[in-house]
Structures are given as structure tokens and as C-alpha cells.
């Protein structure tokens, strides 16, 4: 894949919920953000799937995608991703085929293999509704591809009778399917099936070079994708000054440190709450490590980091996760830090002055 000097930008949204904010206000802020990304020329806007997390309202990607499609005109909308073990493959195929009918040519189905939840909630999902056997993940991916296609899938019943199944009748097109991951499993499967692959660098940057090499070297061309196609995710906070960017990045870095050290999770802190209670020891070091790995800084510095990442790994697109927290006096149904991140980064990469 050729490297572009100006990588395309996309967005991954976890729909963060801050201290004192309701899920209604968080969703409203995210829908304003997708409108902004559409206007700024971002390539795609994906919603994650996480369950039972106080700081995350993104639990049902298809619902958020439908809402985002209704308030945008151009940008691709999708999942980053649907956690397939939590869902019956036919249900996923039907949901995304319907989304393709709502927004033709604009829908991405990103699929992940992790549960996106803690063990208790994972078990709850298993016993309260139809789910997929994680050991049959490859088969379920190919089933979804067939079910969503205009041709549909063909089943052979035990009686020998052939039965046709379509996710929607008279489909005009098919959502683009991406496999997501941070290990070699999904990379190998994406290569085998001739599908695009996204490395979850925002969550874990370990082994990125080896995993992308496995994907590219093992890639089997498909009709839809004759060449391997991949991009990376990156946590980003951009502001007019380094100090402001670091301040707005601190709450998310602290939440990740609490998650990885097994501490109880809360709604995302405001900037002031995070600054008032410094972490030390292992958690404090994790915060500093996160801030170094993310794109945190002024527009020029953040744009340089995006370009560096794209050039080093040979990708022409970077999906940023705008993790800028809010200040205590900012409106609860808005997300000015995340909005400013998208604005400043797009302007810096385009070479235009910030407003």
C-alpha cells in the first residue's frame, strides 16, 4: 500500500460519559461530534461496543450508527466494533443490511472477537439471549458476509431440502466488513478471507509491526479487496497549548490506569477532578506511559505524530479516538475538548490555520 503524505482521518467514538452527565447528554454530544466530523471531511465514524462501564455509553453500535446516519450526509458510519460472540450472526447481518438500506454505500461493519465486557456481564449476555460460539468465529464471519450479500445464503436442511436466507429482501449493496483486533488471530483470519483489518493501537500497541506483517504477507486477494487494506487507531487530544492538551488527556489516562490495575471504574472525571487527586506508584506510571504513546499536544505536534504513525506502518488512514475530557464548567450536553481535537487536527493536516 502506498503511503500518503496526508493520511486520511477517521473517528472512533466510545461515547464517553463524564462526571454528572447523563447518557442522554453524552449521546447528544456524540451526535454533535459526528456532524462536525462530517463537515470537516473525516472518512468514517465508528462506534464501539462496551458493556456495564460507567464512563462509556457505547453499548449498541447499530442504534448509534442509525442515529449518526440520520444527521450526516457524506461520512461513512460503522462499528468499531460489533463484538460478535455477544450476538447471533443472523441478527448482526439483518441489522447491518438494514443500515445499508438506510445509508447506502456508507456503512462499515467492524467485527471483533472480544466480549467488550467483564466476565459477569459476558455470562449475562450468554444466558439472556442468542449469542455466537466464540470458537466458531471464522464461520460466523463468513455466514454474515453471505447473509448480507444480494445473493443471500443457502442452507441445506437435515431433510436435504435447500433453503435460502437473506438478511434483507432485494439488497442493493453490502456493508464493508472489517475485522478488528490487537493480536494475530484476527489479522490472520482477515488475510485468509481477503478482508480489511484494523489494528486496535489505541488499546494496545504491542506487536503492531509483527501483526501487520502477518496480515500483509498472508493476504489472499478477494474480489472486493484485491490488495490488503488496513489502518490504525490512535488516542488523540489536541489543543492550542501543550499544557491544555495534557490537562484534557489526563482523565482518560487515569481511567485506563484504573482499568488495568483492577480498580473500580467511575464516570470520566472532569479535568479539575483529575488534577485534584494525582496518582502515584504503578497507576501514576501508567498514566505517564499513556500520555507518551498518544497524540497529545499542539496541532502541529499531533499532526506530526499522525503522519509518523502512518508512514512507519505504511497506512494511508488513521482513526483517532478523541479522548479530550471536559472542564467542570462546560455544558453537559457538549464535548468541546473532543470537538476542538477534531478541528485542530484536520486543519493541521490540511495545512490551514486553526480558527
Amino acid at each position: 500500500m502506498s503511503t500518503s503524505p496526508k493520511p486520511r482521518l477517521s473517528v472512533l467514538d466510545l461515547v464517553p460519559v463524564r462526571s454528572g452527565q447523563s447518557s442522554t447528554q453524552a449521546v447528544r454530544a456524540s451526535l454533535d461530534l459526528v456532524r462536525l466530523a462530517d463537515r470537516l471531511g473525516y472518512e468514517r465514524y465508528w462506534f464501539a461496543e462496551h458493556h456495564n462501564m460507567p464512563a462509556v455509553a457505547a453499548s449498541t453500535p447499530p442504534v448509534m450508527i442509525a442515529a449518526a446516519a440520520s444527521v450526516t450526509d457524506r461520512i461513512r458510519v460503522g462499528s468499531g466494533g460489533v463484538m460478535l460472540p455477544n450476538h447471533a450472526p443472523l441478527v448482526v447481518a439483518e441489522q447491518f443490511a438494514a443500515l445499508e438500506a438506510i445509508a447506502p454505500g456508507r456503512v462499515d461493519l467492524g467485527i471483533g472477537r472480544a466480549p467488550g465486557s467483564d466476565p459477569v456481564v459476558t455470562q449475562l449476555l450468554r444466558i439472556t439471549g442468542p449469542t455466537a460460539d466464540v470458537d466458531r468465529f471464522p464461520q460466523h464471519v463468513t455466514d454474515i458476509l453471505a447473509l448480507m450479500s444480494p445473493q443471500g445464503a443457502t442452507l441445506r436442511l437435515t431433510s436435504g431440502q435447500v433453503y435460502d436466507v437473506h438478511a434483507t429482501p432485494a439488497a442493493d449493496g453490502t456493508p464493508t466488513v472489517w475485522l478488528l483486533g490487537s493480536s494475530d488471530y484476527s489479522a490472520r483470519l482477515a488475510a485468509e478471507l481477503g478482508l480489511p483489518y484494523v489494528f486496535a493501537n489505541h488499546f494496545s500497541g504491542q506487536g503492531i509491526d509483527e501483526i501487520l506483517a502477518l496480515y500483509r504477507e498472508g493476504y489472499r486477494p478477494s474480489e472486493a479487496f484485491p490488495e490488503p487494506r488496513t489502518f490504525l487507531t490512535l488516542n488523540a487530544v489536541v489543543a492550542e497549548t501543550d499544557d491544555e492538551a495534557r490537562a484534557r488527556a489526563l482523565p482518560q489516562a487515569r481511567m485506563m490506569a484504573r482499568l488495568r490495575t483492577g480498580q473500580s471504574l467511575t464516570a470520566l472525571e472532569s479535568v479539575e477532578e483529575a488534577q485534584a487527586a494525582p496518582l502515584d506508584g504503578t497507576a501514576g506510571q501508567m498514566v505517564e506511559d499513556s500520555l507518551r504513546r498518544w497524540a497529545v499536544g499542539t496541532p502541529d505536534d499531533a499532526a506530526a505524530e499522525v503522519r509518523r504513525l502512518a508512514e512507519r506502518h505504511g497506512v494511508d488512514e488513521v482513526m483517532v479516538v478523541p479522548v479530550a475530557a471536559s472542564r467542570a464548567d462546560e455544558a453537559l450536553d457538549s464535548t468541546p475538548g473532543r470537538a476542538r481535537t477534531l478541528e485542530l487536527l484536520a486543519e493541521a493536516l490540511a495545512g490551514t490555520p486553526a480558527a
Side-chain angles (χ1 to χ4, degrees):
M1 178 183 295
S2 63
T3 301
S4 168
K6 175 192 166 185
R8 292 173 295 169
L9 291 173
S10 295
V11 180
L12 175 62
D13 190 353
L14 277 62
V15 192
V17 180
R18 57 175 280 206
S19 177
Q21 187 182 41
S22 70
S23 56
T24 298
Q25 292 166 324
V27 167
R28 186 175 301 157
S30 280
L31 291 180
D32 284 343
L33 200 64
V34 73
R35 289 186 186 95
L36 175 64
D38 193 29
R39 294 196 302 271
L40 292 173
Y42 279 74
E43 183 77 10
R44 66 190 86 240
Y45 198 107
W46 286 3
F47 293 95
E49 177 185 341
H50 293 288
H51 300 280
N52 200 42
M53 295 183 68
V56 176
S59 58
T60 54
V63 174
M64 293 302 302
I65 294 166
S70 72
V71 298
T72 55
D73 299 314
R74 176 202 56 80
I75 196 167
R76 296 189 66 90
V77 289
S79 58
V82 165
M83 300 294 102
L84 187 51
N86 299 339
H87 311 281
L90 176 59
V91 172
V92 174
E94 288 180 330
Q95 288 172 339
F96 279 80
L99 288 168
E100 177 69 18
I102 291 169
R106 289 208 289 143
V107 176
D108 294 327
L109 168 53
I111 298 176
R113 186 167 171 261
S117 57
D118 60 64
V120 174
V121 174
T122 298
Q123 184 62 19
L124 181 65
L125 288 165
R126 300 290 187 272
I127 65 176
T128 56
T131 56
D133 182 352
V134 69
D135 293 331
R136 299 176 65 193
F137 182 79
Q139 178 186 333
H140 290 147
V141 171
T142 58
D143 287 348
I144 288 171
L145 288 167
L147 289 163
M148 291 191 306
S149 71
Q151 298 78 27
T154 300
L155 307 178
R156 185 172 296 278
L157 305 179
T158 54
S159 64
Q161 179 182 359
V162 173
Y163 192 81
D164 292 333
V165 184
H166 295 78
T168 60
D172 290 324
T174 305
T176 300
V177 174
W178 297 72
L179 293 191
L180 321 177
S182 57
S183 69
D184 62 354
Y185 181 92
S186 290
R188 291 180 187 274
L189 180 60
E192 180 182 336
L193 298 178
L195 292 174
Y197 171 71
V198 180
F199 183 84
N201 180 64
H202 73 288
F203 184 75
S204 172
Q206 299 298 315
I208 183 172
D209 294 307
E210 295 82 359
I211 290 169
L212 291 184
L214 282 173
Y215 171 66
R216 289 167 172 147
E217 292 167 4
Y219 191 79
R220 298 180 184 178
S222 61
E223 182 177 352
F225 297 98
E227 301 282 341
R229 185 178 181 189
T230 187
F231 62 75
L232 310 172
T233 59
L234 174 68
N235 288 323
V237 180
V238 188
E240 282 80 359
T241 67
D242 284 326
D243 287 346
E244 178 67 4
R246 180 183 171 86
R248 288 192 181 266
L250 188 58
Q252 179 72 19
R254 286 162 57 89
M255 188 184 75
M256 294 302 298
R258 285 195 293 269
L259 178 66
R260 288 172 174 157
T261 55
Q263 299 180 47
S264 59
L265 300 180
T266 64
L268 191 66
E269 296 168 310
S270 67
V271 169
E272 291 82 0
E273 287 170 331
Q275 292 175 329
L279 297 175
D280 54 17
T282 300
Q285 186 58 52
M286 286 181 175
V287 168
E288 293 303 318
D289 291 344
S290 292
L291 296 177
R292 280 192 294 270
R293 286 189 293 105
W294 301 353
V296 178
T298 62
D300 287 346
D301 289 344
E305 177 62 18
V306 168
R307 287 193 181 98
R308 184 200 66 78
L309 188 73
E311 290 169 4
R312 175 180 173 183
H313 300 294
V315 299
D316 59 10
E317 182 176 341
V318 173
M319 176 170 275
V320 296
V321 189
V323 293
S326 294
R327 292 189 173 275
D329 61 353
E330 292 171 344
L332 291 171
D333 60 354
S334 69
T335 182
R338 293 200 294 151
R340 200 64 178 138
T341 291
L342 297 191
E343 290 169 342
L344 292 172
L345 188 56
E347 290 163 352
L349 283 171
T352 58

